[in-house]
Amino acid sequence: MAGVNKPDPARRSERSRQAILQAARELVSEVGYAKVSIEAIAARAGVGKQTIYRWWRSKGAVVFDSFLALSEGGDASDGDGGSVVLPDTGDIEADLKTVMRATVAEFADPGFEAPIRALNLEIVNDPELAAQYRDKLAAPVDEAKKARLRSAQRAGQIAADADLDLALELLYAPLYQRWLLRSGPLTPQYADALVDLALKALRP
Amino acid sequence: MAGVNKPDPARRSERSRQAILQAARELVSEVGYAKVSIEAIAARAGVGKQTIYRWWRSKGAVVFDSFLALSEGGDASDGDGGSVVLPDTGDIEADLKTVMRATVAEFADPGFEAPIRALNLEIVNDPELAAQYRDKLAAPVDEAKKARLRSAQRAGQIAADADLDLALELLYAPLYQRWLLRSGPLTPQYADALVDLALKALRP
């Protein structure tokens, strides 16, 4: 009856992984990325250092996965963020408003925004970390967003010759700046107004 | 002949002011806002602490003026940034491209961007400093930009019902984000493409 005991190690293993990811996020929020150590993450998660090194090669790797798991709500230990898919109802305006309202809600949530703010501080300060962030966290999400914009191009809802990198900046940078500098309210109405204006620029 | 000696103290005074502003900028770049002291600014500028307190009431006040002087190239000891005016040739597209190309060039200049990056780190980290930044540095500049957009509205080049705060975010946030996250090249071509796309959203 080998099956009787097998689920337990797997469940324990997953609990450890989740505890490590949560500890990493909490510590980055509390003391900043620079002061977080693998030792501190292990201590807070209640695991040994070797358990962390079994899954991640560095502090940077575990911290990035902890944020990736948070922002996508999924398992990202392989670091490819492969499961990011945006809604596609066939209506780009409706889908972008759904996504942007969700993004606004995330940034208005202190439990989500505090660790992301801590991560952004480190990224702004450290070009090497910024490059890692782009490759491991931002690029897969941007690709998913661009896939949705390409689908809208095929549907004739966005200009065929639109620069999709610039289109993403037009949609997301105002929200990012408003959140980062706390320069205005983040509301569903703001998300809608931003989508309306950006789409006016992007329509055929 | 009272006039003979009068210019000297005024010139010396202005030299001291400029030395203090430069020392403040350099120190914020080098060690970060939190670690800068009035004492250190005075020492580097070669003046006494009382000379600084003659013109500014706090470290925050002198640091802000130092950045305001840098970004506007003018005298800002009164803290109102009142001299900010954008070009108005009657052609909003040409004027915005002039301004955005100049902004891109500033952010591509290490001597300019390093202290501004240091200031941004402090602002992102500190809501109170962010509020001071908005009121003392950003608001006067934003008002000047909005005055130019209003002139374009009167000329029928921008929609009369455009939300000008959102319009400024659409124009500047992509550039700000690209610079802050180092996520793409800052070139004159980028400035032009951004103005073209934003104006497409803003036209009547």
Side-chain angles (χ1 to χ4, degrees):
Chain A
M1 308 297 279
V4 170
N5 286 320
K6 264 192 179 159
D8 281 345
R11 272 206 298 272
R12 201 158 53 230
S13 183
E14 183 52 25
R15 272 200 305 272
S16 293
R17 262 183 51 79
Q18 293 303 327
I20 292 164
L21 294 174
Q22 187 178 338
R25 277 196 300 271
E26 289 174 1
L27 284 167
V28 169
S29 280
E30 289 167 19
V31 302
Y33 177 81
K35 290 185 189 157
V36 174
S37 65
I38 289 278
E39 287 77 4
I41 297 171
R44 178 163 307 198
V47 302
K49 272 173 62 173
Q50 286 317 309
T51 304
I52 296 183
Y53 283 118
R54 215 171 87 209
W55 288 309
W56 294 279
R57 73 183 189 289
S58 68
K59 176 179 89 170
V62 61
V63 169
F64 277 113
D65 274 354
S66 77
F67 283 103
L68 197 55
L70 182 70
S71 66
E72 302 308 331
D75 184 304
S77 62
D78 57 354
D80 68 6
S83 62
V84 187
V85 177
L86 264 65
D88 192 347
T89 67
D91 179 345
I92 188 67
E93 180 185 327
D95 291 348
L96 282 177
K97 285 181 178 173
T98 300
V99 170
M100 295 291 276
R101 279 171 173 248
T103 306
V104 160
E106 280 179 341
F107 282 117
D109 172 358
F112 179 87
E113 84 94 35
I116 300 291
R117 187 172 293 273
L119 181 65
N120 269 273
L121 276 168
E122 303 304 330
I123 288 167
V124 170
N125 201 29
D126 181 342
E128 197 182 315
L129 209 65
Q132 279 189 47
Y133 168 81
R134 278 197 307 277
D135 294 346
K136 294 190 66 179
L137 269 173
V141 177
D142 283 352
E143 273 312 309
K145 292 170 182 169
K146 283 195 273 186
R148 180 63 190 89
L149 295 181
R150 271 185 219 107
S151 156
Q153 285 179 312
R154 286 190 297 271
Q157 296 171 351
I158 285 184
D161 64 349
D163 176 334
L164 297 188
D165 288 303
L166 194 53
L168 284 189
E169 288 182 334
L170 210 65
L171 274 164
Y172 284 89
L175 193 163
Y176 174 76
Q177 177 184 275
R178 190 177 269 229
W179 164 69
L180 202 66
L181 300 182
R182 301 178 173 92
S183 51
L186 292 174
T187 60
Q189 291 72 30
Y190 177 68
D192 289 354
L194 195 49
V195 170
D196 286 336
L197 202 59
L199 278 182
K200 205 176 152 202
L202 298 172
R203 292 216 187 270
Chain B
M1 307 293 278
V4 171
N5 286 319
K6 264 192 178 161
D8 280 345
R11 272 206 299 269
R12 201 158 53 230
S13 182
E14 182 53 25
R15 274 200 304 272
S16 294
R17 260 182 52 78
Q18 293 304 327
I20 292 164
L21 294 174
Q22 187 179 339
R25 277 195 300 271
E26 289 174 0
L27 284 167
V28 169
S29 279
E30 289 167 18
V31 303
Y33 177 81
K35 291 184 188 156
V36 174
S37 65
I38 289 278
E39 287 77 3
I41 296 171
R44 177 162 309 198
V47 303
K49 273 174 59 174
Q50 286 317 309
T51 305
I52 296 183
Y53 284 119
R54 214 171 87 208
W55 288 309
W56 294 279
R57 74 184 186 289
S58 67
K59 175 178 89 168
V62 62
V63 169
F64 277 112
D65 274 354
S66 78
F67 283 102
L68 197 56
L70 182 70
S71 66
E72 303 308 329
D75 184 303
S77 62
D78 56 354
D80 69 6
S83 62
V84 186
V85 176
L86 264 64
D88 192 347
T89 67
D91 178 346
I92 187 66
E93 180 186 327
D95 290 348
L96 283 178
K97 285 181 178 174
T98 299
V99 170
M100 294 291 275
R101 279 171 172 247
T103 306
V104 160
E106 280 179 341
F107 282 117
D109 172 359
F112 179 88
E113 84 93 36
I116 299 292
R117 187 172 294 273
L119 181 66
N120 269 273
L121 277 168
E122 302 305 329
I123 289 167
V124 170
N125 201 30
D126 181 342
E128 197 182 315
L129 209 65
Q132 280 189 47
Y133 167 81
R134 278 197 306 278
D135 294 346
K136 294 189 66 178
L137 268 173
V141 177
D142 284 352
E143 273 312 308
K145 291 171 182 168
K146 284 195 272 186
R148 180 63 190 90
L149 295 181
R150 271 184 219 107
S151 155
Q153 285 180 312
R154 287 190 297 272
Q157 297 171 351
I158 285 185
D161 64 349
D163 176 333
L164 297 188
D165 288 303
L166 194 53
L168 284 189
E169 289 182 333
L170 210 66
L171 274 164
Y172 284 90
L175 194 163
Y176 174 75
Q177 177 184 274
R178 188 176 271 228
W179 164 69
L180 203 65
L181 301 183
R182 301 178 172 92
S183 50
L186 293 174
T187 61
Q189 291 72 32
Y190 177 68
D192 289 355
L194 194 51
V195 169
D196 286 336
L197 202 58
L199 278 182
K200 205 176 152 200
L202 298 173
R203 294 218 187 268

